[in-house]
Amino acid sequence: MKRRNCLALTACLGPPLPAFAVPAKRSLVGFTENLPPLNYQDESGAAQGFSVELLRLMARAAGLSLELQVMPWQRTVQMAEAEPASVLFSLTRTPEREAQFQWVGPIAQRRILIYKLARRSDLKLNQLSDLGSLRIGVVRDSAADRQLQASGLRPSVQLEHGLDDATNVRKLLAGRMEFVALLDWAAAWNMRQMKLPYATLQPVMEQDASRSYWYGLRPDAEPALVKRLQAGLDALKRDGRYERLRQRYFI
């Protein structure tokens, strides 16, 4: 009798709800390059850096799972274009790129300085036209490299190209060039990695401080998602966590 009653009750209630009736957690895929200390791949292959940690906090606040991939820049751009739920970073926000993304940020100011070794009191540089036969180290094909070449500096003559910032700093320390162009964060980071005081380097002029780094989502990303990520970043800046995180990488 009890068996028949149970079957009748089941018939009235209908079949059990499928397992997927509870919505799955939304996911986001972040694509970035090696640009320490903002974003880079550590020895274990994991994504690290200020922008990476910041995005993790933002995704958590927005209720999103986050997958991160670090690869060469051109590859990151291609992968982000092919992935619907993607975020590309750290992007310099320019007028040319404005319509290509929905923007969340800023992450940090992009301040490129020309440095010399502090012990080289004989070196002066007030403007690029004063460089003469001296040389500036810069990462090949970087935005700073393109800007310096646009200013009239010649590769292999006044510009010493390197694969990355660390290579250029080592060349500067070895006396293979007189100056180096670095993001201020990267200068501090590389000195720390080499166990040298930041005061080993001395800025002599500002190359560019007119831009900032941002996160870029696809133009067809849901506006609500963009707003949630921006709200998460704004909250981190208000409650002090952004500044505490920044100090870990810059100071």
Side-chain angles (χ1 to χ4, degrees):
M1 183 67 178
K2 289 183 178 179
R3 172 76 173 172
R4 287 197 298 270
N5 288 342
C6 289
L7 290 174
L9 181 60
T10 300
C12 292
L13 293 176
L17 292 174
F20 55 80
V22 177
K25 190 174 184 179
R26 295 281 302 278
S27 63
L28 188 67
V29 184
F31 296 98
T32 191
E33 63 172 335
N34 274 300
L35 183 65
L38 289 174
N39 25 264
Y40 62 95
Q41 192 170 48
D42 66 15
E43 294 178 355
S44 70
Q48 301 292 349
F50 176 78
S51 300
V52 170
E53 290 198 52
L54 194 61
L55 184 58
R56 286 189 178 120
L57 292 172
M58 293 160 56
R60 188 181 308 159
L64 301 168
S65 65
L66 179 64
E67 177 189 343
L68 293 163
Q69 298 186 31
V70 184
M71 54 189 70
W73 182 247
Q74 289 303 320
R75 182 67 173 152
T76 68
V77 174
Q78 294 169 2
M79 294 293 287
E81 289 175 349
E83 170 59 51
S86 68
V87 55
L88 184 64
F89 67 101
S90 299
L91 276 169
T92 303
R93 188 170 182 174
T94 64
E96 295 77 19
R97 286 175 169 168
E98 189 64 31
Q100 298 175 17
F101 301 95
Q102 294 191 66
W103 300 91
V104 175
I107 300 169
Q109 184 183 19
R110 176 185 174 273
R111 187 166 179 251
I112 306 293
L113 302 177
I114 307 294
Y115 291 89
K116 69 173 184 176
L117 293 176
R119 66 171 183 262
R120 292 293 306 271
S121 58
D122 57 308
L123 294 176
K124 309 289 182 185
L125 188 65
N126 296 318
Q127 53 190 10
L128 293 176
S129 57
D130 296 337
L131 190 63
S133 61
L134 302 180
R135 291 155 300 165
I136 299 175
V138 66
V139 175
R140 185 184 302 276
D141 294 328
S142 65
D145 180 26
R146 292 192 295 271
Q147 187 177 31
L148 289 169
Q149 290 192 50
S151 299
L153 301 189
R154 295 167 291 169
S156 302
V157 179
Q158 295 163 303
L159 295 178
E160 178 79 19
H161 284 132
L163 292 175
D164 52 38
D165 289 330
T167 299
N168 283 333
V169 170
R170 286 192 291 269
K171 287 182 179 181
L172 183 73
L173 292 168
R176 292 178 57 184
M177 56 205 185
E178 292 77 23
F179 303 99
V180 64
L182 293 167
L183 176 69
D184 54 357
W185 287 42
W189 173 262
N190 280 283
M191 289 296 96
R192 184 185 298 176
Q193 297 305 299
M194 296 177 183
K195 296 180 169 55
L196 293 171
Y198 181 54
T200 301
L201 300 178
Q202 179 180 330
V204 295
M205 66 172 288
E206 189 174 78
Q207 181 188 338
D208 184 22
S210 62
R211 309 288 184 200
S212 294
Y213 287 112
W214 292 68
Y215 300 103
L217 283 80
R218 288 168 47 128
D220 58 356
E222 293 180 19
L225 172 61
V226 178
K227 289 181 180 178
R228 285 161 64 192
L229 288 171
Q230 185 66 60
L233 177 56
D234 293 344
L236 291 168
K237 291 183 176 181
R238 284 194 304 271
D239 66 21
R241 283 181 290 170
Y242 172 93
E243 182 58 24
R244 290 194 294 273
L245 183 61
R246 190 192 75 85
Q247 290 180 10
R248 281 176 42 204
Y249 285 94
F250 185 63
I251 296 176

